[in-house]
Amino acid sequence: MIIVVGTAISLCSCENVKVDNGNLNSSVPVSENNANVDIGNSNSSVPVSENNTPSANNSTNKSYDFPQYFKFYESGYGMDTILVIDQNGNIIPKEKQFTVLYDILTGKPQCQYISKAEKTGEVNEFGGVTIKRTAALFDKDGNQISDYTDLNFSSGFGDLVLMRDGYGMEMSGQSDLPCGLWNYKTSKMVLEGVGNFQVYDAEKKQFIVSSLASQEGPEKIIGIVDETGTLISSPKGDMNYSLMNVVDGMILANTVTEYKDQSSAALVAKPEKTVVFSKDFEVLFEADRIWFGYNTLYGDYISVTNDNRSYICDYNFNICFEHAESENINYFDGEILIRFSRNSSTQESNMTLCDIKSNVLTTNFTEIRPIVDPNDNKTPAESFLAYDDKSIYILNRKGEVLKTKPLPNIEYCTYLGDGIISYRVNNIGEGMLDINLNTLVDHNKYTSVSFAYLEDGGKYETNYNVIKCTYNLPGNERIKRVELLDRSFKPIITGLSECYSTTKDFIAIKKGFSIGLIDYNGNWVHKYPIFSELKMEDSEWSVY
Amino acid sequence: MERVLNINIIMKIIIVFFSIIVFTACNTTQNTNNSDNPTSNAMQSEDNQGESSKIDGITAKNYPIVDGSTATMPLMAAAYSEIIGVPLEEAETFVEVSTTAPSWRNLLNYNVNLLIVYEAPETVKQEIKDSNVELEVTPLGRDGLVFLANTENKANNLTQDQIKDIYTGKITNWSSVGGNNEEIIPFQRDKESGSQTLFEKLLLKGTKPMDAPTELRPADMGALIDGVAYYDGSGGAIGYSVFYYAKEMYTKPNLKLLEVDGVAPSVETIGSGKYPLVNDFYVAIRKDEPADSPTRLLYNWLISKEGAELVKKTGYAPITK
């Protein structure tokens, strides 16, 4: 079949091509002959979650609390941004690209800011152009509520946002410029000196705040504040503490000793001990090193190293399990654990599933991983995923093999949650299995398989209803293809050059020389040529 | 060993006498072919495209790996579409380029089969000379170095000498060259950029331009066009690019292309050489390609009459003189 090329290369229009869906559906019939493609039958083939149900009658005028930005970038050249548009297809120039700040506790939008980068005309010591960055705060409706200054903003809580010199931090890791909790409704600084914070008690809306490291000294815990920024408690005495993290009401902090670095005459902070504080900053426990093993310790446990001994303690600081310092504990739930050791001379590694008395339940796997909800670090695993150089296995808590699937040369596998196991076979590709090791996505077909990004007002999250699969064109591996699968693992969109992000209404894609938004029926909603803003000459050499 | 790169030795001038059709190409991105459904059956075309094509010996499965310049991407897509018989938008998905200089290196290193590409920078030409790889390079079409100004600017024509004087700081006000009484803001490109190379090769010819402050030396071609279009809102800026990019790929409504020596840049004037600042672009393969290889077959087709027609049809200036 020869299809005569159109009479023109359609590249010169940089305008938004807003396609009328009615015309489109009638003028572009969906292929019914392609067994691989199930476009146009959205009711049966597209994601079924209420949160991501594609709308056959998608509304481009749907209202959102804050703009939905779709960013299109050129991979391979340092991710240069080609174009940013909103959900209505309006091109958003750099100076109007808002970043929404979300309440760290509720996840709801607080306000938004615009960050500007302007060339100063000066050349820095490395011969590069000096750029001055400034930012200003705006309310939900886009009304400016602060001047452009060299301070930056990040999410806070309640009516407070964190204001600090983010750009200075990028360069030096230290900042002497003012920072603090700033009330964006009253335009007043509530608590100066705050550079970081973490949620202490979500229910009571309490937060632990600390300063930024500066030339005056290291980062220090300031104390616990309520939602208004009022200090409730703070560390006692003269000792400085840098905040590590907060888990279950316990505050983990390093004691910090400052000394002058003779070579640079700068103040250097040296961690000494790790302490666990109560809410009133009473020291509950102290050791050489303490950490909460997120995604390692399942239940109320902490890892401790002290006096050259390593052990796992419960929240009452009773020793539950002691192990060699050189040995990693990859999983512990109070009853069973996964031990990982590597022979330092042969570099051979081994994973062993043990009980708490160190009785070996099973061993000789390349890797053993718990099958647990990635967002749950309390509930013990009911089963485990394991693989060696020949097969992949499901084990029970006794170490017995429940399921086996021959799968040579596995490079890695992991449980993604929601009944899906992701795996990669060395030099071939990636695939997905269900919990019974049935193939959902074949690794022979795709080089990479992952859930798509869910764009939500600047928050990039995981869209568990859309699976993004990538493969290289046979015979020309420079050409990448992307196709999207629904949760029944059927292709819903194929033949893409790239999929950047998704929402419940749109998919941001690149196909050939076009970028833009399509709906879940595969029809263009907003379409632009890639050359509209493309960074043309990022490589060493030029293009014409 | 004779260097095939030497254009004087290998150049096969293709003279095409077909009537020239001007393809404005604007606002045609929607509702053509199957282009409004981007998810049309690309996989099917990859998997099931027939073994036949417009050229015996070339199929979708053995189509050569083509590389080259960004500005030649539309021609690559048009060639694939024409030869394999797929819609243009689908053909576009088979086009990836590494840009001019890297693509020449890719050909030398056997990473790709064929280039549709602009002239290599001098340093890369030296690398080609120093290599043991012989290339066959044939001009396919022609592009021009064009000068851009804001549409508010009354000046429409500059001589080459006036442009030289502007860029050497001798002329600083548009009133001296037929424009408003307004300061001239001359944009330049990065010293290693292709546009700057053309600017120095075709226009300055050894004359040293004045130093440009960094804000008047954008890192990329699009930024230069933006800079000239919007600088200071005054309309006093001038900059340069290549014709196809400025005319077809990155247009701005408040920009115009200036005449040079009384000749407006166009497909016709660039193709004929009447426009004074022109340079060819090429198709290139390794000389050791067998006579019946898909790469050689594609090369032969591109330099044939049909290939020349495609160059015209795609909006590039053919070589007519």
Side-chain angles (χ1 to χ4, degrees), chain A residues 237-252:
Chain A
D238 298 330
M239 180 61 75
N240 289 327
Y241 299 96
S242 66
L243 179 62
M244 290 176 65
N245 54 11
V246 179
V247 175
D248 296 334
M250 293 187 288
I251 301 163
L252 207 61

Side-chain angles (χ1 to χ4, degrees), chain A residues 240-244 252-256 271-275 288:
Chain A
N240 289 327
Y241 299 96
S242 66
L243 179 62
M244 290 176 65
L252 207 61
N254 283 326
T255 61
V256 177
E272 300 288 349
K273 286 271 188 181
T274 311
V275 298
D288 292 341

Side-chain angles (χ1 to χ4, degrees), chain A residues 505-538:
Chain A
D505 298 317
F506 306 126
I507 307 169
I509 67 153
K510 173 186 172 188
K511 182 171 185 185
F513 301 165
S514 299
I515 51 178
L517 303 182
I518 59 171
D519 62 22
Y520 277 83
N521 293 319
N523 300 310
W524 284 111
V525 179
H526 302 290
K527 183 181 179 186
Y528 308 83
I530 58 169
F531 304 109
S532 56
E533 298 287 336
L534 181 61
K535 298 291 181 189
M536 296 286 288
E537 301 188 9
D538 296 312

Side-chain angles (χ1 to χ4, degrees), chain A residues 308-339:
Chain A
N308 299 318
R309 294 174 62 198
S310 293
Y311 40 90
I312 295 170
C313 290
D314 62 21
Y315 278 6
N316 293 317
F317 310 108
N318 300 311
I319 296 176
C320 299
F321 184 78
E322 184 163 356
H323 60 95
E325 204 172 347
S326 60
E327 185 182 41
N328 288 338
I329 304 299
N330 285 14
Y331 172 85
F332 181 89
D333 64 15
E335 291 181 354
I336 56 177
L337 59 146
I338 298 170
R339 310 177 77 156

Side-chain angles (χ1 to χ4, degrees), chain B residues 19-51:
Chain B
S19 59
I20 295 171
I21 304 168
V22 178
F23 297 97
T24 58
C26 288
N27 298 317
T28 56
T29 51
Q30 65 267 54
N31 301 328
T32 57
N33 296 327
N34 201 14
S35 64
D36 283 329
N37 190 317
T39 59
S40 57
N41 49 2
M43 284 190 71
Q44 188 179 41
S45 69
E46 289 158 19
D47 296 340
N48 305 326
Q49 273 170 12
E51 296 298 313

Side-chain angles (χ1 to χ4, degrees), chain A residues 7 12 24 481 511 522 532 542, chain B residues 23 26 36 38 46 118 194 250:
Chain A
T7 55
C12 76
L24 189 62
R481 284 281 187 277
K511 182 171 185 185
S532 56
S542 57
Chain B
F23 297 97
C26 288
D36 283 329
E46 289 158 19
Y118 282 66
Y250 196 90

Side-chain angles (χ1 to χ4, degrees), chain A residues 1-15 17-19 23-24 27-31 33-37 39 74 77 119-123 129 445-446 471 473-481 483 491-497 509-514 518 521-524 527 529-544, chain B residues 23-31 33-44 46-47 53-54 65-67 70-71 73-74 77-78 81-89 92-102 105-106 112 118-119 121 123-124 189 192-195 197-198 214-215 219-222 226 242 244-245 247-252 313-314:
Chain A
M1 176 180 66
I2 302 295
I3 297 177
V4 177
V5 182
T7 55
I9 293 293
S10 46
L11 287 168
C12 76
S13 172
C14 296
E15 299 166 7
V17 180
K18 186 173 179 178
V19 183
N23 291 339
L24 189 62
S27 64
V28 185
V30 172
S31 167
N33 299 324
N34 189 345
N36 291 322
V37 184
I39 309 161
E74 187 67 20
Y77 294 153
K119 291 176 183 174
T120 62
E122 298 170 3
V123 176
V129 179
K445 191 171 179 184
Y446 301 112
Y471 63 98
L473 208 60
N476 187 353
E477 298 209 338
R478 300 165 74 243
I479 308 293
K480 188 173 92 171
R481 284 281 187 277
E483 66 179 4
I492 50 172
I493 305 288
T494 67
L496 305 179
S497 303
I509 67 153
K510 173 186 172 188
K511 182 171 185 185
F513 301 165
S514 299
I518 59 171
N521 293 319
N523 300 310
W524 284 111
K527 183 181 179 186
I530 58 169
F531 304 109
S532 56
E533 298 287 336
L534 181 61
K535 298 291 181 189
M536 296 286 288
E537 301 188 9
D538 296 312
S539 57
E540 175 192 1
W541 300 101
S542 57
V543 290
Y544 296 123
Chain B
F23 297 97
T24 58
C26 288
N27 298 317
T28 56
T29 51
Q30 65 267 54
N31 301 328
N33 296 327
N34 201 14
S35 64
D36 283 329
N37 190 317
T39 59
S40 57
N41 49 2
M43 284 190 71
Q44 188 179 41
E46 289 158 19
D47 296 340
S53 76
K54 192 164 189 172
I65 300 175
V66 180
D67 199 356
T70 305
M73 287 170 72
S81 173
E82 180 89 357
I83 292 165
I84 301 301
V86 296
L88 187 58
E89 188 180 61
E92 290 171 357
T93 69
F94 290 83
V95 175
E96 287 285 341
V97 298
S98 61
T99 69
T100 304
R105 292 193 180 103
N106 277 339
V112 301
Y118 282 66
E119 186 175 327
T123 48
V124 177
R189 293 296 318 284
E192 290 185 337
S193 75
S195 297
T197 304
L198 270 191
T214 49
E215 69 268 28
D220 60 77
M221 198 177 285
D226 282 346
V242 290
Y244 191 82
Y245 183 74
K247 185 75 176 172
E248 303 288 352
M249 297 169 76
Y250 196 90
T251 56
K252 292 286 175 186
K313 199 162 69 173
T314 316

